[in-house]
Amino acid sequence: MQKLLHPKIQLGHWPTPLEPMLRINDMHKGPELWVKRDDCTGLAFGGNKTRKLEFLIADAQLKGATILLTAGGIQSNHARQTAAAAAKVGLGCELFLEQVKGVSEIDYSHSGNVLLDQLLGARLHLLPAGQDLDAVMALRAQTLAEAGQVPYVMPVGGSNAIGSMGYVNCGLELANQLQAQDISFDAIVLATGSAGTQAGLLAGLALAGIDIPVLGITVSRSSVEQCEKVLALLHEVQELLKQPKLHEDHVICFDQYYGSGYGHPTPSMIEAVRLAASLEGLFLDPVYSGKAFAGLLDLVRHGYFDSSDRVLFLHTGGTPGLFAYSECLSEC
């Protein structure tokens, strides 16, 4: 497998598996659905952020950091995995967690990822919705620096050009798996939010010389806004790689599936989560992979793919979030 020259550390279990969804495939009779199990990356219940953190932590160490700062929603998967990475390499960690408007689940503010953040030893700053998280982190970083610390600030989702290298690496890993298993895919479907996973994967596949459409199911914004966000980050990544830039036509997003807002439950998400669990023994999360898989199922039902296609679903993890949504997911 081609290797990136950018520094990284080892945090995850690679490569993550490729698996056919046999019972779901029997249910809908084509296209043939597969899953890449990036919920199995191994760090603190796994998830896509482990790939990004391998590069971000390496960068932090090169810069002499003593403490990591990052931000997200209350149930941020990136925050949980950042706290785990900090614990693993011996760095301090502070998380700036913003309340999400309109989510009224009884377990939302103290179960799931929030509980894990605390167990991992992170210091939590709980903020009301609408905060400028970058500004809050910058102010805290200044205070920490004045006290003799060396803070390293990560953006929401770890989605900058350095973090996105994790999914460039995933694109190269996938290319190696396709060759080893003598298999091909006609499309890849994933959840897209902070943009680093989709942008990095597009760059990685291009680096490997593979042209597979990557379809992003948005979790928080319109397809126009999301495509602009992904394209801008994609071009940053490709500039860092000294790679020819992909055209905007390569960035495809669907915005029909996130409902009334980020983190808000939807009937199709609940159906997708229950279907994957009951037919495949596969746990999706309510915020990202559940909505992305709901989008994939809807595209299948409406004939977006040919029945002879083979489609890969990238499971980005986030399953601890299930426990924060027990009210809407439980049938009791």
Side-chain angles (χ1 to χ4, degrees):
M1 184 175 96
Q2 184 176 0
K3 292 186 178 180
L4 299 179
L5 298 178
H6 298 271
K8 67 185 285 288
I9 65 169
Q10 181 78 19
L11 292 173
H13 302 164
W14 317 118
T16 57
L18 291 179
E19 301 174 354
M21 297 187 183
L22 297 176
R23 294 194 66 207
I24 288 178
N25 288 335
D26 284 343
M27 178 188 73
H28 66 68
K29 304 299 182 185
E32 184 180 319
L33 303 184
W34 285 59
V35 58
K36 182 160 176 62
R37 297 290 305 275
D38 270 17
D39 59 318
C40 297
T41 55
L43 180 68
F45 289 106
N48 63 328
K49 306 305 181 183
T50 303
R51 292 189 186 272
K52 300 178 183 183
L53 286 161
E54 290 194 330
F55 288 87
L56 290 164
I57 298 294
D59 188 55
Q61 290 177 327
L62 284 173
K63 293 176 178 174
T66 60
I67 186 167
L68 308 177
L69 278 64
T70 198
I74 291 285
Q75 285 293 329
S76 168
N77 299 303
H78 168 63
R80 180 240 313 159
Q81 288 178 86
T82 299
K88 194 172 181 68
V89 302
L91 295 176
C93 182
E94 297 194 10
L95 306 175
F96 296 79
L97 304 179
E98 181 184 24
Q99 186 58 257
V100 175
K101 289 182 179 178
V103 179
S104 58
E105 293 286 329
I106 56 175
D107 294 323
Y108 191 78
S109 295
H110 62 268
S111 185
N113 284 311
V114 175
L115 172 62
L116 299 179
D117 295 339
Q118 295 167 341
L119 291 174
L120 291 164
R123 179 177 178 181
L124 275 54
H125 302 268
L126 302 180
L127 306 171
Q131 292 285 297
D132 184 338
L133 297 176
D134 290 334
V136 173
M137 285 196 293
L139 184 61
R140 178 60 178 162
Q142 181 180 346
T143 300
L144 289 167
E146 290 170 353
Q149 295 263 33
V150 182
Y152 184 85
V153 180
M154 298 179 191
V156 171
S159 290
N160 56 16
I162 293 173
S164 298
M165 288 296 155
Y167 270 87
V168 176
N169 216 39
C170 180
L172 299 177
E173 175 184 296
L174 179 58
N176 189 58
Q177 288 178 299
L178 298 184
Q179 182 178 21
Q181 298 183 33
D182 191 24
I183 191 173
S184 63
F185 291 102
D186 298 287
I188 300 171
V189 176
L190 49 74
T192 185
S194 58
T197 300
Q198 188 173 7
L201 186 60
L202 282 165
L205 292 172
L207 197 60
I210 296 176
D211 185 15
I212 305 175
V214 177
L215 313 181
I217 307 297
T218 72
V219 299
S220 59
R221 58 180 65 88
S222 73
S223 57
V224 171
E225 293 174 299
Q226 188 67 24
C227 284
E228 291 174 351
K229 187 175 180 69
V230 173
L231 184 66
L233 183 53
L234 171 61
H235 286 171
E236 285 183 44
V237 171
Q238 295 190 296
E239 186 173 334
L240 194 58
L241 292 168
K242 302 185 181 348
Q243 179 188 39
K245 293 180 179 178
L246 291 173
H247 191 265
E248 62 184 8
D249 289 349
H250 284 86
V251 180
I252 305 167
C253 298
F254 296 88
D255 60 7
Q256 306 98 303
Y257 306 108
Y258 70 84
S260 57
Y262 173 82
H264 294 192
T266 64
S268 62
M269 175 277 290
I270 294 170
E271 177 202 13
V273 168
R274 288 177 175 166
L275 188 72
S278 63
L279 291 184
E280 297 291 339
L282 184 68
F283 289 124
L284 306 176
D285 85 291
V287 181
Y288 295 94
S289 58
K291 289 185 177 179
F293 195 60
L296 171 56
L297 291 175
D298 188 67
L299 292 173
V300 168
R301 289 163 180 163
H302 285 87
Y304 182 87
F305 305 104
D306 291 337
S307 61
S308 59
D309 283 348
R310 184 181 291 125
V311 179
L312 180 64
F313 178 69
L314 178 61
H315 187 342
T316 50
T319 48
L322 286 169
F323 300 102
Y325 286 80
S326 60
E327 188 177 357
C328 73
L329 294 172
S330 174
E331 295 183 2
C332 298

